[in-house]
Amino acid sequence: MEKKATGKETEPLTCKKDASDCNKGEDCKENGLLVRNPKSALRLVEDGNKVHPSQGDKGQAAQISNGYSGGQSSAPCNGMGEVEDAQCTAPAATTTTTTTTSTTCGAEGQQQLMELEDRETWSKKIDFLLSVIGYAVDLGNVWRFPYICYQNGGGAFLIPYTIMAIFGGIPLFYMELALGQYHRNGCISIWRKICPIFKGIGFAICVIDLYVASYYNTIMAWAFYYLISSFTTELPWTSCTNAWNTGNCTNYFSKDNVSWSPHSISPAEEFYTRQVLQVHRSDGLDDLGGISWQLTLCLLLIFTIVYFSIWKGVKTSGKVVWVTATFPYIILFILLVRGATLPGAWRGVLYYLKPDWQKLFATEVWVDAAAQIFFSLGPGFGVLLAYASYNKFHNNCYQDALVTSTVNCVTSFVSGFVIFTVLGYMAEMRNEDVSEVAKDTGPSLLFITYAEAIANMPASTFFAIIFFLMLLTLGLDSTFAGLEGVITGVLDEFPHVWSKRRELFVLGLIIICFLGSLATLTFGGAYVVKLFEEYATGPAVLTVVFLEAVAVSWFYGITQFCNDVKEMLGSAPGWYWRVCWVAISPIFLLFVTCSFMSNPPELRLFDYNYPYWTTVVGYCIGTSSVIFIPIYMVYRLVITPGTFKERILKSITPETATEIPFGDIRMNAV
């Protein structure tokens, strides 16, 4: 951002003026602080002296000024934390909305300036892009999108999916990137600069991220177990002669003439349920059984990899994602080519894309489309705020949002071909319809159906190794991102405690996540994973992002936010983005949330039907994160002095200025 200096602005900062000399159109100097004419709406800070909005003074203002406001300092700093008499006062702002400010002096100003100058940044732009792509493209792109697509009308589903992406998912994705890059803070402390009363959103995000880390990495432990088991000449889920197999095990790929009956169970399914998960040793959520030591060791190794990938910050994790974010695309291409050459592949593709136009009139199809694009792009987990906060101020986050969200959606679509070419092959081998083969959903689609198909291909060991290695890399960079959202949020909120102890904090966080995962490592751990996946994150994240969109668009102000974007990119967002942020995106989120709450899913896994009380437990887990938002609102109003109206005004007024790089000088945006 560049602005031409006028003759008044080039006056020596050592001059002192009386209040009477501070006429309209002139600048006043107060102990190294240059307070400009409100028309220019800028304040320059010299040496460590910073100006921030004062809570006490802001209570006198009826409205918040959009853009940069002229400042009035009643007690200027001398740079040493001492207060001197004012030499002059700035003229009152002539705009319809005014904001009165006072000075935050001494140590606090020095500390915040040091934090801004010392903040880590990405080594290269590509590190940021790969990290965001790696976060957005995860295991859900491989198993969730293909299943939801064929379940909701095949090719016809792409219409509501695209509409929801254009008017809901991508605007929210762009909004979070812009917020993080402009304010350069994590999910907790950023609310001091936007709308302090919503600071509980940051704490809720951290709790949600911890819940996700507690079950998501367990799925990666399953993939790691498969990977280790793949280093054999004959994959263990290809035969029915193993110790874990039952009499119902039927290997229809064998050379013998074997018929498939309703009671038949494939060797791949028995390997998954009886050897990896061992769910037959659990009676359900009320009796989870013991802990699987094999999965525990797998998870321990995964968390060890995660720790040494993120313990030093984005400069190290930005290098790791060069492997974890690019490797899956190489494997997807190999598997796509291999799947397309299998007999019966065309049957799977036809089933995947054949449109059922009647589905477009069903409300649940639009709900599924909205939920899929939202959870695929992943706003609301604090990750986009954290990653963007390490960008350079003038980075083109608009272009980044379009590129990464497009890559994510295309990856989901291509993954459908990778999955359904193999399902068509399975249907050909079983002599069944694709619909019968594609009944497995979620992780079972990968660990049973796809694993079985790979096991019966030529060079099965090679394809099994690269497939499960791909699943690991897909999961790892998403784990990096989720934990970085927590780390950045806490370190920015408590810099005096943890800023110099990042490695220690990350170690403690990893230990907490590992201990929190123990319930998912039991023999009934798969039931816990399913419960957390459906209830602990879904409605909670939707609620968080809905409130975030409302806070930014309606309390912080869409005009202010667009001005912020203009400061970074040189041009303000157009009417399309404004309408989406103010109305369409919040309605989109409210629509999905209400649909979920009004019709909660009936959970079933394998032969286990979840009892009613598990639904109550699920909602309690989800509420345990969102509850931080109203709790902090009440806390904020209680500790804020003044009448109730004054408390409300102070609580929705940004309390900390955002510093904007301007050459060698820092400007405070109020």
Side-chain angles (χ1 to χ4, degrees):
M1 183 189 70
E2 297 181 358
K3 290 197 178 281
K4 294 182 180 179
T6 63
K8 295 292 182 182
E9 291 171 321
T10 57
E11 291 184 39
L13 293 180
T14 54
C15 71
K16 296 185 178 181
K17 297 184 179 183
D18 294 328
S20 59
D21 295 329
C22 298
N23 297 323
K24 185 176 181 180
E26 295 186 344
D27 301 326
C28 300
K29 187 271 175 184
E30 303 177 12
N31 295 334
L33 175 66
L34 180 61
V35 183
R36 291 191 54 191
N37 179 339
K39 287 185 179 181
S40 62
L42 295 171
R43 288 178 300 160
L44 305 184
V45 180
E46 179 183 279
D47 296 329
N49 298 324
K50 296 182 59 178
V51 175
H52 299 295
S54 168
Q55 283 186 339
D57 292 338
K58 280 194 172 185
Q60 303 170 8
Q63 292 177 305
I64 306 173
S65 173
N66 285 330
Y68 302 102
S69 65
Q72 177 179 349
S73 178
S74 58
C77 302
N78 62 7
M80 301 297 292
E82 299 173 357
V83 178
E84 297 179 354
D85 294 331
Q87 302 298 326
C88 62
T89 57
T94 58
T95 55
T96 56
T97 57
T98 60
T99 301
T100 310
T101 60
S102 67
T103 313
T104 301
C105 302
E108 181 184 355
Q110 297 276 1
Q111 180 187 13
Q112 293 186 13
L113 185 60
M114 288 173 58
E115 289 171 11
L116 183 68
E117 292 175 344
D118 294 342
R119 188 172 186 83
E120 190 177 17
T121 57
W122 297 98
S123 299
K124 298 178 181 179
K125 171 69 173 286
I126 191 66
D127 293 352
F128 166 71
L129 290 177
L130 288 176
S131 296
V132 175
I133 290 173
Y135 159 65
V137 179
D138 65 350
L139 297 174
N141 292 72
V142 178
W143 82 57
R144 188 177 291 116
F145 177 84
Y147 170 74
I148 290 180
C149 186
Y150 81 74
Q151 187 185 46
N152 290 288
F157 177 76
L158 298 178
I159 295 176
Y161 180 78
T162 303
I163 292 174
M164 290 299 181
I166 293 174
F167 293 103
I170 296 177
L172 293 169
F173 191 86
Y174 177 25
M175 182 185 76
E176 282 211 354
L177 287 182
L179 283 173
Q181 182 172 305
Y182 184 83
H183 295 289
R184 300 174 67 82
N185 279 105
C187 60
I188 301 176
S189 54
I190 194 173
W191 292 101
R192 294 203 303 264
K193 302 177 180 181
I194 299 176
C195 188
I197 199 171
F198 285 97
K199 191 175 179 180
I201 290 177
F203 295 108
I205 288 174
C206 290
V207 175
I208 293 171
D209 286 343
L210 291 177
Y211 284 153
V212 173
S214 296
Y215 76 83
Y216 188 81
N217 292 285
T218 299
I219 300 176
M220 292 165 55
W222 301 345
F224 193 77
Y225 190 100
Y226 269 85
L227 177 64
I228 296 174
S229 302
S230 299
F231 287 93
T232 58
T233 55
E234 182 181 354
L235 297 175
W237 56 89
T238 58
S239 66
C240 294
T241 59
N242 303 289
W244 58 80
N245 292 126
T246 65
N248 291 326
C249 183
T250 305
N251 186 7
Y252 53 88
F253 281 99
S254 65
K255 296 180 181 179
D256 302 329
N257 187 13
V258 177
S259 60
W260 186 262
S261 68
H263 300 289
S264 297
I265 302 176
S266 67
E269 182 176 350
E270 290 202 342
F271 178 79
Y272 178 55
T273 59
R274 298 180 64 85
Q275 175 63 13
V276 179
L277 302 181
Q278 303 183 59
V279 292
H280 64 287
R281 302 175 65 180
S282 168
D283 293 332
L285 287 174
D286 51 352
D287 182 17
L288 295 175
I291 293 178
S292 170
W293 64 268
Q294 298 97 327
L295 293 180
T296 302
L297 290 179
C298 291
L299 185 63
L300 183 62
L301 185 57
I302 287 171
F303 273 125
T304 302
I305 295 172
V306 171
Y307 174 72
F308 287 107
S309 298
I310 65 175
W311 69 324
K312 291 293 185 180
V314 295
K315 289 191 181 297
T316 54
S317 64
K319 298 297 180 289
V320 176
V321 294
W322 278 79
V323 176
T324 58
T326 58
F327 182 76
Y329 287 95
I330 299 174
I331 305 306
L332 280 174
F333 178 75
I334 295 174
L335 294 175
L336 178 61
V337 173
R338 183 68 186 101
T341 60
L342 292 171
W346 64 273
R347 296 176 59 186
V349 173
L350 184 63
Y351 186 79
Y352 175 45
L353 294 180
K354 184 179 180 181
D356 182 359
W357 302 111
Q358 294 299 320
K359 290 279 190 178
L360 295 179
F361 298 100
T363 305
E364 58 269 17
V365 172
W366 293 85
V367 173
D368 285 346
Q372 173 59 30
I373 189 63
F374 174 80
F375 289 112
S376 180
L377 293 176
F381 290 93
V383 175
L384 302 177
L385 292 173
Y387 276 172
S389 72
Y390 298 111
N391 277 335
K392 291 179 171 54
F393 183 78
H394 294 293
N395 172 65
N396 193 339
C397 58
Y398 169 70
Q399 186 182 70
D400 296 344
L402 294 182
V403 169
T404 52
S405 56
T406 301
V407 168
N408 175 73
C409 295
V410 171
T411 302
S412 297
F413 182 63
V414 173
S415 296
F417 289 96
V418 174
I419 296 297
F420 274 89
T421 52
V422 172
L423 292 181
Y425 166 65
M426 294 281 289
E428 185 83 6
M429 294 297 100
R430 288 189 184 182
N431 195 24
E432 293 181 331
D433 291 335
V434 179
S435 58
E436 292 298 317
V437 178
K439 288 188 296 186
D440 290 324
T441 62
S444 298
L445 185 65
L446 304 179
F447 294 116
I448 297 178
T449 309
Y450 206 90
E452 183 177 5
I454 287 178
N456 293 278
M457 294 178 186
S460 59
T461 297
F462 168 74
F463 284 108
I465 291 173
I466 64 171
F467 176 70
F468 291 112
L469 200 56
M470 179 193 73
L471 295 185
L472 273 178
T473 53
L474 281 173
L476 278 174
D477 40 23
S478 295
T479 297
F480 299 160
L483 293 180
E484 187 60 51
V486 179
I487 295 166
T488 301
V490 175
L491 265 59
D492 285 349
E493 179 66 13
F494 307 103
H496 54 289
V497 178
W498 295 112
S499 61
K500 303 300 182 182
R501 303 181 181 91
R502 179 186 170 98
E503 295 89 343
L504 185 61
F505 175 77
V506 174
L507 178 61
L509 182 64
I510 292 292
I511 292 174
I512 291 173
C513 292
F514 178 76
L515 294 177
S517 303
L518 291 180
T520 64
L521 299 173
T522 58
F523 301 139
Y527 304 132
V528 180
V529 169
K530 181 75 171 178
L531 184 68
F532 269 79
E533 186 180 14
E534 294 292 340
Y535 287 102
T537 55
V541 172
L542 290 169
T543 303
V544 162
V545 184
F546 170 73
L547 293 175
E548 180 181 305
V550 170
V552 172
S553 300
W554 293 94
F555 288 85
Y556 185 63
I558 193 63
T559 303
Q560 174 67 65
F561 178 60
C562 290
N563 287 341
D564 295 346
V565 175
K566 185 177 181 180
E567 292 296 333
M568 293 188 295
L569 307 184
S571 60
W575 64 267
Y576 157 73
W577 297 104
R578 293 172 183 250
V579 172
C580 286
W581 288 326
V582 170
I584 298 179
S585 294
I587 293 173
F588 156 84
L589 291 166
L590 193 61
F591 168 67
V592 180
T593 305
C594 293
S595 298
F596 182 92
M597 301 296 288
S598 62
N599 187 26
E602 295 182 3
L603 300 186
R604 175 183 171 85
L605 185 62
F606 308 124
D607 294 327
Y608 178 69
N609 292 309
Y610 284 65
Y612 176 77
W613 63 266
T614 59
T615 303
V616 178
V617 171
Y619 277 124
C620 289
I621 295 173
T623 306
S624 65
S625 57
V626 180
I627 196 67
F628 280 94
I629 300 174
I631 287 177
Y632 186 84
M633 288 180 173
V634 173
Y635 166 76
R636 181 81 192 186
L637 293 174
V638 169
I639 66 169
T640 303
T643 64
F644 183 74
K645 181 179 179 180
E646 290 174 340
R647 295 182 184 193
I648 293 291
L649 288 174
K650 293 174 184 176
S651 296
I652 63 175
T653 302
E655 64 182 31
T656 306
T658 295
E659 290 193 325
I660 302 174
F662 185 64
D664 295 328
I665 305 175
R666 302 285 171 175
M667 297 186 301
N668 286 332
V670 181

